[in-house]
């Protein structure tokens, strides 16, 4: 059963009106303003410092815990439907992973659509990864993590790195990820009334802006349609009542069928990207700790 803290949170979210999604300038402006306001209010964890950097041409934010290890790094790819969100706004959430994992987090400010459509975001993330390698980080000491659209970017970046002949990082994790820009999963209809956060209309509005006319089945845009062989080990989280749960199931099944390693965790009775409410919600804290444990298993002591 969900905790009383989560039940209270879900009641409050359901009582708030869901904004109507829209492609184009009005929808983008609304998405950016609401996300920056909500995510930017999350405080940094105790003992964490932030600072701007240039990750090989991609602006980024370092989130560093006091006394953290310096020979490893978590590359965090923020969500926002490829058209909203920022490294600064997600720094508070990322600081929880920096503290739990005892290591710095780098958040790229990858270019956003529609001003910079696909594949700009993928190119920026790969550039940030290449920069980390050039800075001396061993690929076996780099892990990737992303939420929603950022979860899709994790897999897109792994695919792009593989195709460029770059070494894979140690592992990756995807939280309530968006993998399919055709929004074809049956869960979009099945859980349309259960999911208070995300919808098919939102996914398609984001896809219009992000794709800029590109084919939504392009593998680097929708990894569900990619050759998924040769990727770093993955963990994928979704809840059983969110509209993106079929994306998660199909992606993991595809990785396993291609001979890769992937763990799928479907959490019951929660909601899209529930991790965000760490440390106030027990289920969020448990999920974050589980992701951290998975990544640390591959990155080594």
């Amino acid at each position: 059963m969900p905790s009383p803290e989560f039940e209270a949170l879900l009641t409050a979210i359901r009582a708030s009106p869901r904004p109507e999604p829209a492609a184009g300038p009005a929808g983008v402006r609304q998405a950016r303003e609401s996300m920056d306001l909500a995510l930017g209010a999350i405080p940094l964890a105790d003992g964490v410092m932030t600072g701007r950097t240039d990750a090989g041409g991609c602006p980024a934010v370092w989130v560093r815990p006091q006394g953290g290890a310096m020979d490893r790094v978590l590359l965090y790819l923020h969500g926002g439907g490829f058209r909203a969100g920022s490294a600064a706004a997600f720094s508070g959430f990322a600081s929880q992973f920096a503290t739990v994992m005892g290591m710095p987090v780098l958040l790229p400010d990858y270019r956003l659509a529609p001003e910079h459509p696909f594949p700009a975001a993928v190119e920026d993330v790969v550039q940030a990864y290449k920069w980390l390698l050039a800075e001396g980080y061993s690929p076996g000491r780099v892990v990737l993590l992303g939420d929603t659209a950022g979860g899709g970017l994790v897999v897109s970046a792994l695919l792009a790195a593989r195709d460029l002949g770059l070494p894979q990082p140690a592992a990756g994790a995807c939280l309530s990820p968006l993998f399919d820009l055709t929004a074809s999963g049956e869960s979009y209809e099945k859980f349309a009334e259960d999911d208070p956060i995300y919808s098919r209309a939102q996914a398609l509005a984001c896809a219009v802006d992000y794709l800029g006319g590109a084919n939504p089945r392009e593998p680097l845009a929708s990894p569900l349609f990619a050759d998924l062989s040769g990727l770093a080990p993955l963990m994928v989280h979704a809840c059983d009542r969110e509209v993106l749960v079929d994306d998660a199931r199909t992606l993991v099944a595809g990785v396993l069928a291609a001979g890769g390693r992937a763990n799928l965790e479907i959490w019951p009775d929660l909601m899209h990207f529930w991790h965000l409410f760490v440390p106030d919600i027990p289920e969020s804290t448990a999920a974050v700790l589980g992701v951290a444990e998975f990544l640390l298993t591959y990155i080594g002591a």
Side-chain angles (χ1 to χ4, degrees), residues 205-239:
C206 292
V208 167
D209 286 328
Y210 178 55
L211 292 169
N215 187 341
R217 296 173 68 91
E218 164 65 39
L220 289 185
S222 296
L224 282 187
F225 304 107
D227 166 12
L228 297 170
S229 61
L231 302 185
L234 286 170
M235 169 174 274
V236 180
H237 275 193
C239 93

Side-chain angles (χ1 to χ4, degrees), residues 42-266:
I42 298 176
L44 292 172
D46 291 343
V48 172
M49 301 291 291
T50 65
R52 285 275 176 184
T53 191
D54 184 323
C58 177
V61 172
W62 277 114
V63 177
R64 290 188 169 103
Q66 186 175 7
M70 300 304 293
D71 65 338
R72 62 199 69 186
V73 62
L74 170 62
L75 184 59
Y76 187 90
L77 312 182
H78 70 76
F82 309 105
R83 60 182 189 163
S86 67
F90 276 79
S91 292
F93 176 64
S95 73
Q96 297 293 330
F97 281 97
T99 299
V100 168
M101 298 180 71
M103 55 192 284
V105 180
L106 182 71
L107 293 93
D109 251 329
Y110 59 83
R111 289 170 290 173
L112 298 176
E115 299 94 328
H116 305 284
F118 170 81
V122 181
E123 292 170 348
D124 287 353
V125 171
V126 172
Q127 184 59 40
Y129 177 56
K130 290 170 66 176
W131 178 76
L132 287 172
L133 300 183
E135 287 291 296
Y137 287 97
S138 164
R141 296 289 191 171
V142 180
V143 286
L144 272 63
L145 171 64
D147 68 271
T148 58
L153 277 176
V154 165
V155 182
S156 295
L158 295 180
L159 292 167
R162 179 200 64 190
D163 294 346
L164 289 170
L166 296 172
Q168 289 285 291
C174 311
L175 315 180
S176 289
L178 173 63
F179 291 128
D180 174 14
L181 297 187
T182 70
S184 61
E186 293 182 2
S187 54
Y188 276 105
E189 295 297 332
K190 187 175 182 179
F191 299 119
E193 298 301 320
D194 294 296
D195 191 331
I197 304 296
Y198 210 63
S199 68
R200 173 174 274 143
Q202 287 173 296
L204 293 176
C206 292
V208 167
D209 286 328
Y210 178 55
L211 292 169
N215 187 341
R217 296 173 68 91
E218 164 65 39
L220 289 185
S222 296
L224 282 187
F225 304 107
D227 166 12
L228 297 170
S229 61
L231 302 185
L234 286 170
M235 169 174 274
V236 180
H237 275 193
C239 93
D240 64 345
R241 295 178 182 272
E242 69 171 298
V243 297
L244 292 175
V245 66
D246 280 357
D247 277 31
R249 290 188 174 116
T250 307
L251 190 285
V252 169
V255 171
L256 295 175
R261 289 171 288 177
N263 293 358
L264 174 64
E265 291 191 5
I266 305 294

